[in-house]
Amino acid sequence: MSYAAHKMMHWPTGIENCAAGFITHSRADFVPRIPQIQTDDLDSDWPAPRREIGPVPNLVVTAANVLEVYVVRVQEQDTARGSRASGESKRGGLMDGVAGASLELVCHYRLHGNVMTMAVLSSGGGDGSKRRDAIILTFEDAKISVLEFDDSIHGLRTSSMHCFEGPEWLHLRRGRESFARGPSVKVDPQGRCGGVLVYDLQLIILKAAQGGYGLVGDDDGFASGAAISARVESSYIISLRDMDMKHVKDFTFVHGYIEPVLVILHERELTWAGRVSWKHHTCMISALSISTTLKQHPLIWSAINLPHDAYKLLAVPSPIGGVLVISANSIHYHSQSASCALALNSYAGSVDSSQEMPRSSFTVELDAANASWLSNDVILLSTKTGELLLLTLVYDGRVVHRLDLSKSKASVLTSGIATVGNSLFFLGSRLGDSLLVQFTSGVGASMLSADLKDEVGDIEGDAPSAKRLRMSSSDALQDMISGEELSLYGSAQNNAESAQRSFSFAVRDSLVNVGPLKDFSYGLRINADANATGIAKQSNYELVCCSGHGKNGALCVLRQSIRPEMITEVALPGCKGIWTVYHKNARGHNAESYDDEYHAFLIISLEARTMVLETADHLSEVTDKVDYFLQGRTIAAGNLFGRRRVVQIYERGARILEGYYMTQDLSFGASNSESGSGSESATVLSVSIVDPYVLLRMSDGGIRLLVGDPSSCTVSVSNPAAFESSKKLVSACTLYHDEGPEPWLRKSSIDEAIDGVLHDQGDVYCVICYESGSLEIFDVPNFNCVFSVEKFVSGKPFLVDTFMGDPQKSQSSEEVSGLSRKVKLQNMRVVELTMQRWSGQHSRPFLFGILNDGMIFCYHAYLYESMDSTSKTEVSASSQNTTASRLRNLRFVRVPLDTYSRNDLSNGTSCQRMTVFKNIAGNQGLFLAGSRPAWLMVFRERIRVHPQLCDGSIVAFTVLHNVNCNHGLIYVTSEGIMKICQLPSITSYDNYWPVQKIPLKGTPHQVTYFAEKNLYPLIVSIPVQKPLNQVLSSLVDQEFSHQVENHNLSPEELHRTYTVDEFEVRIMEPEKSGGPWQTRATIPMQTSENALTVRVVTLFNTTTKENETLLAIGTAYVQGEDVAGRGRVLLFSAENNVDNPQNLVSEVFSKELKGAISALASLQGNLLIASGPKIILHKWTGSDLTGIAFFDVPPLYVVSLNIVKNFILIGDIHKSIYFLSWKEQGAQLNLLAKDFGNLDCFATEFLIDGSTLSLAVADAQKNIQILYYAPKISESWRGQKLLTRAEFHVGAHVTKFLRLQMLSTSSDRTGKNPGSDKTVRYALLFGTLDGGIGSIAPLEELTFRRLQSLQNKLVDAVPHVAGLNPRSFRQFRSNGKAHRPGPDSIVDCELLFHYEMLPLEEQLEIAQQIGTTRLQILSNLDDLSLGTSFL
């Protein structure tokens, strides 16, 4: 393996930063709700009238290098009642007149760099302000990017970049190489400036541009045009070292001053827990007034003697002002005039023990807490255990008298909280699913606060266990079904003047997270097909991952491809297409609702005939009873006239049927006499049906429209006049029905009323693509052109109406450059189009196109009113026919389809490949048939692509909803087998890969797969509260039995509880029906014994001379630093004991060894054990393990052991990797080579490429290195040293590698010698702590050189979001240690996949520049994604 590709397959999901701000709209865009007449039943509980929900800002989240902007859609109670949407599950019941709130994606970016911190720079201004906010992102080491939303491209645009690294800024580092923290950014609440702390002591002030302040009139100046965002004008540096600050911990801007005021929390002299009794209260805060014009920063006030463990500052909103200082054991409030404090537990001490601090009514530790303000005097704190606390500031005027802390619900362990508007907050989490929660506060009279102190309920409510079993897809959401009020009460019993506030919460939405992936294993799915080969075999497997932590711990079952659950299958050779249709008969008219109506007939088109089946209780053929056209193949079938009639289109005609009987028969003869004699041969090629129209594309390149008359249920053929005269040949066409509560496209035309018929159901449009590659949209039935785009076929990033003029290009330059490449574009054309808007109040249409080379375009529509929209069109409209009102504000933005690999269109069939579905197991989207079928599902206005590999090529697909198949599907494979299936409903498809989450209520650490019994043993630790004296007694060395010294603890302190983790090994079995998994057996560990590793090993029993498959567990006793480390090795055998399932596993051996047993592996029938600093090989006699060889490598702690044949790879926590071999005849373990660097290993694995063996290692600096053993090369010091083959910065901590064989692809098979050694290729699948999954795959040298030169071109050819450089991001990070750079032998697919998103002309140009062809590059990228589609 000399060359490799790094490819992400599942992007990070663990949210690290979240913030709210008006990014895509301004505060002034908010339309206030019309107050309803108060009804008694609604307000009987609340004495106060319900709160109005004000303007709702956007939510911005980052997960590692992924940046997403969401808009929060609040659904109000009255609208929800009337519409069909109320049938969908709205979580959390009603609160404040809101029936539900959900997140909808606006834009999604993958950056070339991990976001360290993020802030939203507010534009200032009040609720009526038209200005927008900007996003500030910071990156390692000192890079700052400011982004703002640009309506014209419906995405983020970089407005300024500030970089303080490189040679000219070296003096800022003051000689240091590595820093404990990355840059952190905070902003002034009024948006006047921002501050970024870099290199621990340098503060960068970002000065905001002050536009439109002072006068209200300034806001109206840009009301019509593009919105103006907050921008950063300039930046300068304040050195805090010059101000005599040594150790800065946090800083923030405070409210209520004329100039921006910055408060800094810093420590004068360091101390630590062991010295606290001598040196404590070492922190202080200093407030600086920042004058950005004079660049001066005088100190205005300060406060000293804050506790040494203070770590966070929170600015108190106006009108109170001041700051809260959060420390582990106390909370302090300080302002220029007043201060007060609150002790949280007994460790909080005041500076001198004379005055007593007020205590909170319960004890809590606040280290690692996150916080956000719910109102100007209530702050929500989330602790490290996931409890939510409310801190109330009791104030009078601007003086705070005291702080009140009260308990609230428990929730997910957060990484950040953002308050979204005045009634929602978002809990972002790396360890569990992130939640959007609505809150409301009422003022009650005397609330019972005392009883509720002790029991803390979960914020997700306690659903009955039966319900919880059904819903196991997302641990956070499903418990919300009960929808009870989650109410909690602030406590202020002895305080008469403060009114009591009660808060209630309702979870409204959640984002699935599968991180942090600590370990995973690769096992067979339940419905695996043993006979599958090739790519279909890949979907037999699933990835079972340990993710989450504590109570958010879960087992995530990830599958890259969808495998439907089959109900029945029938052989059906020669099938060309299938359709299901409804038939409304009189009696069933009001029996069932529109959505739940069952299908009546299934129409199957074979090569030369058509079959019709009735889809009642059983599928029964009724072909001989019906008047359908049966003598040839059917092109399409569907319903017309509100499902009262069926239309069937065949090659030369159409029939209208009611039930079994025909009501009308049409034939398409030579209707247009002008076109001459050739017209008889015109047959129908493709059909699009939208009630009451049917659009036909004919083989002569023209189109016909069948127009239905709903009153008589008859159809007439019309030839659109626009196409009579034109000689342009149509290559693809579709009808688009703009349905829904309000037609969406109508908003994009300037005059609202479109002339022609206005249907209640919405407008119908016809989208047409010509052979020349241009695209036009017409209104139906008038056929006025309302939108047109030149060269749609080239796949431009934006589609803008031609009459608007493309803002991005000047006309002249394009014509010059376009001439040379016109020839190449000739053979590209669009073969199929679909435009669809799925249900949802705010949904926007998607436009899909398939090219004849298998490329798929996906565009998402958006509205943009440009400033000069009127002036340009006045001129052009007068020359055009003035009747048509153009959709001049309509634009489309191209959306990347991630994992989709292109279809081969070699067979050249004209069958429709895209099928829209509205409800298959509650999902909506589009199914793509063909050689590589895929599901494109729509969630939150984003497309999720899930391939389906299990049946190879699929020729036809349709939905089926009847008695036996509830909202299911039918598809026909190319082998001619028709399968009736349902989608597994417990899986959540709103993720990069379909995922099923199994909550464990504990932290999973390691999982392994027991293939013979299809079991998954995993290590789980559960936090348990224990009395302190029990914990102390377990820290004693039993051999010497020292008496425990109680360190003069008082008796009540001894009975206090302390949290310890209790470990067990659970043996889980997947449920046959695909329900929640069952725990088959549990192996508990002893007290203070931690299970470190669990592996399934095959040992050779030397007495019976047979191989045995056993479960091996390695443990360690954790008893503090005074006791020598010990561990146990345990061997279990698994029996299939049907009578007594409890005895599933039985212990066959256990032995205590010195040192922690941190890794186990079986080596040629022997057991290799890493116990502390020794590695010992044992043989198994059937009753005992006896050591036969050992090796004293100086590892401190082995994190991973890998074995191939007789080679051993050891990864150490600090001493990098060792490469050993085992010789049986001399019974010796020999060190072949080692890496002389000091790497902190996270994971290791062998990489096999044909006959070459390489060693891959991932380290604590988020790099991957590939090393090799080469004793003949002189640099390796006669083979003692491992040499670097490649190195790469992944940008995430890789915790596990898995070696999987790659599929051989088309390019490999065509090789001269099919028996070459390169056929056995393995790729490494890896999981990261951010929730990402990727792979490292070996490449041929020729392919590598081609892709590497493409990568170097793309660095400059593609505009990178936030101005980040992909080359610097992928450079090996050594964090200040000496490191000789290794060869650059890994290409980055994250950058290469931008190639497919470039316009076709640019793709051809870049391919020409690097001396290859576009098809060659695309086939290389294709082979790579095919070879690594493992699941």
Side-chain angles (χ1 to χ4, degrees), residues 121 136 146 159-160 162 206-209 230-235:
L121 180 65
I136 305 181
V146 186
S159 74
S160 64
H162 312 260
L206 305 172
K207 181 187 177 190
R231 289 161 190 264
V232 172
E233 192 178 82
S234 59
S235 55

PDB file of all heavy atoms in Angstrom, residues 121 136 146 159-160 162 206-209 230-235:
ATOM      1  N   LEU A 121     -22.516  37.647  15.846  1.00  0.00           N
ATOM      2  CA  LEU A 121     -22.342  39.084  16.028  1.00  0.00           C
ATOM      3  C   LEU A 121     -23.669  39.751  15.699  1.00  0.00           C
ATOM      4  O   LEU A 121     -24.113  39.742  14.564  1.00  0.00           O
ATOM      5  CB  LEU A 121     -21.243  39.600  15.107  1.00  0.00           C
ATOM      6  CG  LEU A 121     -20.948  41.093  15.202  1.00  0.00           C
ATOM      7  CD1 LEU A 121     -20.387  41.442  16.562  1.00  0.00           C
ATOM      8  CD2 LEU A 121     -19.982  41.522  14.119  1.00  0.00           C
ATOM      9  N   ILE A 136     -19.443  34.412  13.506  1.00  0.00           N
ATOM     10  CA  ILE A 136     -17.977  34.442  13.613  1.00  0.00           C
ATOM     11  C   ILE A 136     -17.509  33.044  14.009  1.00  0.00           C
ATOM     12  O   ILE A 136     -17.969  32.494  15.019  1.00  0.00           O
ATOM     13  CB  ILE A 136     -17.512  35.461  14.682  1.00  0.00           C
ATOM     14  CG1 ILE A 136     -18.090  36.841  14.380  1.00  0.00           C
ATOM     15  CG2 ILE A 136     -16.005  35.527  14.728  1.00  0.00           C
ATOM     16  CD1 ILE A 136     -17.663  37.899  15.374  1.00  0.00           C
ATOM     17  N   VAL A 146     -15.604  35.518   9.302  1.00  0.00           N
ATOM     18  CA  VAL A 146     -16.921  36.105   9.547  1.00  0.00           C
ATOM     19  C   VAL A 146     -17.797  35.776   8.338  1.00  0.00           C
ATOM     20  O   VAL A 146     -17.416  36.057   7.201  1.00  0.00           O
ATOM     21  CB  VAL A 146     -16.827  37.627   9.736  1.00  0.00           C
ATOM     22  CG1 VAL A 146     -18.178  38.187  10.122  1.00  0.00           C
ATOM     23  CG2 VAL A 146     -15.798  37.953  10.802  1.00  0.00           C
ATOM     24  N   SER A 159     -17.521  37.262   4.732  1.00  0.00           N
ATOM     25  CA  SER A 159     -17.418  38.711   4.584  1.00  0.00           C
ATOM     26  C   SER A 159     -16.061  39.241   5.033  1.00  0.00           C
ATOM     27  O   SER A 159     -15.624  40.261   4.555  1.00  0.00           O
ATOM     28  CB  SER A 159     -18.549  39.417   5.332  1.00  0.00           C
ATOM     29  OG  SER A 159     -18.321  39.367   6.711  1.00  0.00           O
ATOM     30  N   SER A 160     -15.402  38.544   5.966  1.00  0.00           N
ATOM     31  CA  SER A 160     -14.026  38.964   6.280  1.00  0.00           C
ATOM     32  C   SER A 160     -13.279  37.815   6.921  1.00  0.00           C
ATOM     33  O   SER A 160     -13.882  36.917   7.510  1.00  0.00           O
ATOM     34  CB  SER A 160     -14.005  40.195   7.192  1.00  0.00           C
ATOM     35  OG  SER A 160     -14.578  39.879   8.433  1.00  0.00           O
ATOM     36  N   HIS A 162      -9.632  36.948   9.245  1.00  0.00           N
ATOM     37  CA  HIS A 162      -8.579  37.545  10.066  1.00  0.00           C
ATOM     38  C   HIS A 162      -7.664  36.413  10.505  1.00  0.00           C
ATOM     39  O   HIS A 162      -8.125  35.478  11.157  1.00  0.00           O
ATOM     40  CB  HIS A 162      -9.176  38.239  11.296  1.00  0.00           C
ATOM     41  CG  HIS A 162     -10.336  39.127  10.968  1.00  0.00           C
ATOM     42  ND1 HIS A 162     -10.230  40.482  10.852  1.00  0.00           N
ATOM     43  CD2 HIS A 162     -11.630  38.831  10.688  1.00  0.00           C
ATOM     44  CE1 HIS A 162     -11.411  40.993  10.524  1.00  0.00           C
ATOM     45  NE2 HIS A 162     -12.268  40.003  10.420  1.00  0.00           N
ATOM     46  N   LEU A 206     -12.282  42.650  17.312  1.00  0.00           N
ATOM     47  CA  LEU A 206     -12.848  42.800  15.969  1.00  0.00           C
ATOM     48  C   LEU A 206     -13.822  43.974  16.032  1.00  0.00           C
ATOM     49  O   LEU A 206     -14.816  43.915  16.751  1.00  0.00           O
ATOM     50  CB  LEU A 206     -13.597  41.531  15.553  1.00  0.00           C
ATOM     51  CG  LEU A 206     -12.818  40.223  15.599  1.00  0.00           C
ATOM     52  CD1 LEU A 206     -13.755  39.059  15.343  1.00  0.00           C
ATOM     53  CD2 LEU A 206     -11.704  40.229  14.582  1.00  0.00           C
ATOM     54  N   LYS A 207     -13.535  45.034  15.289  1.00  0.00           N
ATOM     55  CA  LYS A 207     -14.399  46.208  15.340  1.00  0.00           C
ATOM     56  C   LYS A 207     -15.490  46.072  14.288  1.00  0.00           C
ATOM     57  O   LYS A 207     -15.209  45.832  13.119  1.00  0.00           O
ATOM     58  CB  LYS A 207     -13.566  47.468  15.065  1.00  0.00           C
ATOM     59  CG  LYS A 207     -14.403  48.714  15.142  1.00  0.00           C
ATOM     60  CD  LYS A 207     -13.635  49.942  14.705  1.00  0.00           C
ATOM     61  CE  LYS A 207     -14.565  51.133  14.745  1.00  0.00           C
ATOM     62  NZ  LYS A 207     -13.971  52.305  14.127  1.00  0.00           N
ATOM     63  N   ALA A 208     -16.750  46.190  14.698  1.00  0.00           N
ATOM     64  CA  ALA A 208     -17.859  46.041  13.755  1.00  0.00           C
ATOM     65  C   ALA A 208     -18.108  47.349  13.021  1.00  0.00           C
ATOM     66  O   ALA A 208     -17.885  48.429  13.566  1.00  0.00           O
ATOM     67  CB  ALA A 208     -19.122  45.625  14.502  1.00  0.00           C
ATOM     68  N   ALA A 209     -18.548  47.230  11.774  1.00  0.00           N
ATOM     69  CA  ALA A 209     -18.898  48.425  11.002  1.00  0.00           C
ATOM     70  C   ALA A 209     -20.183  49.003  11.564  1.00  0.00           C
ATOM     71  O   ALA A 209     -21.164  48.296  11.731  1.00  0.00           O
ATOM     72  CB  ALA A 209     -19.089  48.037   9.542  1.00  0.00           C
ATOM     73  N   ALA A 230     -24.441  42.477   9.896  1.00  0.00           N
ATOM     74  CA  ALA A 230     -23.357  43.020  10.702  1.00  0.00           C
ATOM     75  C   ALA A 230     -22.038  42.607  10.061  1.00  0.00           C
ATOM     76  O   ALA A 230     -21.877  41.463   9.667  1.00  0.00           O
ATOM     77  CB  ALA A 230     -23.456  42.452  12.106  1.00  0.00           C
ATOM     78  N   ARG A 231     -21.108  43.532   9.925  1.00  0.00           N
ATOM     79  CA  ARG A 231     -19.828  43.182   9.321  1.00  0.00           C
ATOM     80  C   ARG A 231     -18.701  43.613  10.238  1.00  0.00           C
ATOM     81  O   ARG A 231     -18.854  44.512  11.039  1.00  0.00           O
ATOM     82  CB  ARG A 231     -19.636  43.912   7.996  1.00  0.00           C
ATOM     83  CG  ARG A 231     -20.533  43.411   6.892  1.00  0.00           C
ATOM     84  CD  ARG A 231     -20.631  44.438   5.795  1.00  0.00           C
ATOM     85  NE  ARG A 231     -21.674  44.050   4.851  1.00  0.00           N
ATOM     86  CZ  ARG A 231     -21.424  43.388   3.740  1.00  0.00           C
ATOM     87  NH1 ARG A 231     -20.196  43.038   3.459  1.00  0.00           N
ATOM     88  NH2 ARG A 231     -22.405  43.060   2.930  1.00  0.00           N
ATOM     89  N   VAL A 232     -17.560  42.987  10.065  1.00  0.00           N
ATOM     90  CA  VAL A 232     -16.382  43.376  10.837  1.00  0.00           C
ATOM     91  C   VAL A 232     -15.528  44.280   9.958  1.00  0.00           C
ATOM     92  O   VAL A 232     -15.228  43.951   8.813  1.00  0.00           O
ATOM     93  CB  VAL A 232     -15.598  42.131  11.285  1.00  0.00           C
ATOM     94  CG1 VAL A 232     -14.283  42.542  11.902  1.00  0.00           C
ATOM     95  CG2 VAL A 232     -16.424  41.350  12.284  1.00  0.00           C
ATOM     96  N   GLU A 233     -15.174  45.447  10.530  1.00  0.00           N
ATOM     97  CA  GLU A 233     -14.481  46.454   9.737  1.00  0.00           C
ATOM     98  C   GLU A 233     -12.968  46.292   9.837  1.00  0.00           C
ATOM     99  O   GLU A 233     -12.263  46.352   8.845  1.00  0.00           O
ATOM    100  CB  GLU A 233     -14.913  47.816  10.310  1.00  0.00           C
ATOM    101  CG  GLU A 233     -14.576  49.012   9.515  1.00  0.00           C
ATOM    102  CD  GLU A 233     -15.133  50.243  10.231  1.00  0.00           C
ATOM    103  OE1 GLU A 233     -14.467  50.726  11.153  1.00  0.00           O
ATOM    104  OE2 GLU A 233     -16.246  50.682   9.891  1.00  0.00           O
ATOM    105  N   SER A 234     -12.476  46.077  11.056  1.00  0.00           N
ATOM    106  CA  SER A 234     -11.019  45.972  11.231  1.00  0.00           C
ATOM    107  C   SER A 234     -10.740  45.201  12.512  1.00  0.00           C
ATOM    108  O   SER A 234     -11.645  44.936  13.304  1.00  0.00           O
ATOM    109  CB  SER A 234     -10.401  47.375  11.323  1.00  0.00           C
ATOM    110  OG  SER A 234     -10.989  48.051  12.414  1.00  0.00           O
ATOM    111  N   SER A 235      -9.477  44.852  12.711  1.00  0.00           N
ATOM    112  CA  SER A 235      -9.129  44.127  13.937  1.00  0.00           C
ATOM    113  C   SER A 235      -7.774  44.603  14.443  1.00  0.00           C
ATOM    114  O   SER A 235      -6.932  45.029  13.659  1.00  0.00           O
ATOM    115  CB  SER A 235      -9.088  42.615  13.668  1.00  0.00           C
ATOM    116  OG  SER A 235      -8.221  42.335  12.602  1.00  0.00           O
TER     117      SER A 235
END
